[in-house]
């Protein structure tokens, strides 16, 4: 199939690389615009942009993918399907309907648990011992689409959120190609989610990292692992903020 890949962070690189090596054709990649780093001193490109440029892939960086110009540019590619992986923008229904097979999303949780933008962080904060990846059909309601494939791993207990994502990225790479093959071969089974079992995780902000010492030691440990490396756990001291 001809496809458009939408993604931004390091987690999305292995899935993109896996698709590039598969029988499917990547006609374009969409990633977030370049932005200043957290200190505001240097403009940085996304890992997906760096990979795409290194491999000669057609690249778009839309300020807002909902804009009509963005939709028209993608429509002209005549792709069969789109794949999203931590892209970082909300899609309109017009974008979802742009290709005949819609958008397949790679989500770093075992849906319907941990719908939302920070599933790995909240899984660690809540002390989950099992995490995983789900491929699903994108719909307007966040992470509520029908599931296709799912694969889980057991954690060893020491991992922070970045380390969990590093473990999940190759799993995402494996199941997204399998998902695309099933769709092209008309063998994919779309499984509805049980909304009664759904949990939602809010987007994390810098201030969310403050440690609450009224929690148990175990909960504090889980919190620190979930918050690292971003937004990072911290405490306020007489000498200023101390990151943990």
């Amino acid at each position: 199939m001809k496809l458009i890949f939408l993604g931004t962070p390091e987690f999305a690189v292995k899935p993109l690389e896996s698709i590039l090596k598969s029988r499917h054709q990547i006609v374009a990649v969409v990633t977030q615009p370049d932005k200043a780093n957290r200190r505001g001193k240097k403009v940085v490109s996304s890992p997906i942009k760096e990979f795409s440029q290194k491999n000669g892939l057609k690249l778009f960086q839309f300020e807002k993918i909902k804009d009509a110009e963005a939709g028209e540019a993608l429509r002209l590619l005549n792709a069969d399907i789109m794949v999203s992986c931590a892209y970082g923008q909300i899609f309109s229904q017009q974008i979802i309907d742009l290709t005949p097979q819609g958008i397949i999303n790679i989500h770093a949780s075992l849906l319907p648990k941990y719908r939302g933008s920070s599933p790995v962080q909240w899984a660690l904060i809540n002390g989950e011992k099992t995490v995983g990846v789900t491929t699903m059909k994108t719909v307007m309601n966040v992470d509520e689409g029908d599931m296709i494939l799912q694969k889980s791993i057991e954690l060893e207990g020491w991992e922070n959120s970045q380390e969990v994502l590093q473990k999940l990225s190759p799993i995402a790479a494996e199941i997204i190609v399998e998902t695309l093959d099933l769709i092209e071969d008309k063998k994919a089974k779309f499984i509805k989610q049980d909304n009664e079992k759904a949990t939602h995780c809010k987007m994390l902000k810098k201030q969310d990292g403050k440690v609450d010492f009224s929690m148990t030691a175990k909960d504090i440990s889980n919190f620190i692992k979930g918050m690292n490396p971003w937004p990072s756990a911290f405490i306020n001291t007489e000498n200023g903020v101390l990151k943990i």
Side-chain angles (χ1 to χ4, degrees):
M1 289 185 292
K2 293 168 60 178
L3 68 88
I4 299 166
F5 186 91
L6 307 103
T8 299
E10 188 67 33
F11 174 70
V13 172
K14 284 188 183 299
L16 176 57
E17 182 180 20
S18 181
I19 296 170
L20 185 60
K21 294 176 180 177
S22 75
R23 73 194 197 198
H24 307 287
Q25 178 190 357
I26 299 170
V27 295
V29 174
V30 184
T31 193
Q32 292 277 53
D34 297 351
K35 60 181 180 180
N37 65 9
R38 291 190 183 118
R39 296 183 182 273
K41 295 180 179 179
K42 182 181 178 182
V43 174
V44 293
S45 301
S46 75
I48 285 295
K49 178 178 179 178
E50 293 175 1
F51 179 87
S52 299
Q53 290 180 327
K54 190 179 298 184
N55 288 276
L57 298 172
K58 186 178 184 67
L59 184 71
F60 293 98
Q61 292 178 279
F62 303 120
E63 287 292 337
K64 293 183 180 180
I65 197 169
K66 293 180 178 181
D67 288 348
E69 295 83 357
E72 180 62 13
L74 296 179
R75 186 188 66 79
L76 291 173
L77 297 170
N78 293 315
D80 301 303
I81 195 168
M82 291 190 280
V83 172
S84 66
C85 183
Y87 170 56
Q89 292 189 35
I90 301 295
F91 301 125
S92 64
Q93 190 63 53
Q94 287 77 12
I95 294 296
I96 293 173
D97 295 338
L98 200 63
T99 57
Q101 299 285 0
I103 302 175
I104 300 301
N105 180 238
I106 304 168
H107 188 67
S109 86
L110 298 172
L111 291 170
K113 259 192 169 183
Y114 301 112
R115 293 172 176 172
S117 61
S118 47
V120 167
Q121 289 93 328
W122 283 104
L124 288 174
I125 291 167
N126 290 335
E128 299 283 1
K129 294 179 172 57
T130 305
V131 295
V133 179
T134 305
T135 54
M136 54 170 285
K137 191 94 169 176
T138 296
V139 296
M140 281 301 295
N141 294 333
V142 176
D143 297 330
E144 290 188 18
D146 293 349
M147 303 179 294
I148 307 163
L149 294 178
Q150 195 169 76
K151 188 171 182 179
S152 64
I153 60 169
E154 297 297 315
L155 296 178
E156 296 178 54
W158 48 263
E159 303 94 338
N160 65 25
S161 63
Q162 182 178 34
E163 290 161 338
V164 173
L165 286 168
Q166 287 170 348
K167 288 187 172 187
L168 291 179
S169 185
I171 293 172
E174 174 189 335
I175 69 170
I176 186 55
V177 170
E178 188 177 346
T179 297
L180 292 171
D181 290 348
L182 288 170
I183 291 172
E184 185 173 46
D185 296 339
K186 295 182 171 54
K187 294 180 179 178
K189 295 180 180 179
F190 294 88
I191 304 161
K192 292 202 173 296
Q193 296 187 43
D194 185 346
N195 289 327
E196 292 185 1
K197 295 181 179 179
T199 61
H200 297 262
C201 48
K202 71 172 185 176
M203 182 181 292
L204 290 170
K205 299 178 181 177
K206 194 70 178 173
Q207 60 266 28
D208 293 327
K210 186 175 181 180
V211 178
D212 177 4
F213 284 102
S214 70
M215 298 191 299
T216 66
K218 183 177 181 181
D219 287 343
I220 290 173
S221 175
N222 290 337
F223 179 81
I224 291 169
K225 285 183 287 190
M227 287 291 174
N228 274 291
W230 194 92
S232 77
F234 70 89
I235 59 173
N236 293 317
T237 75
E238 59 184 12
N239 295 315
V241 173
L242 174 64
K243 289 186 179 180
I244 304 174

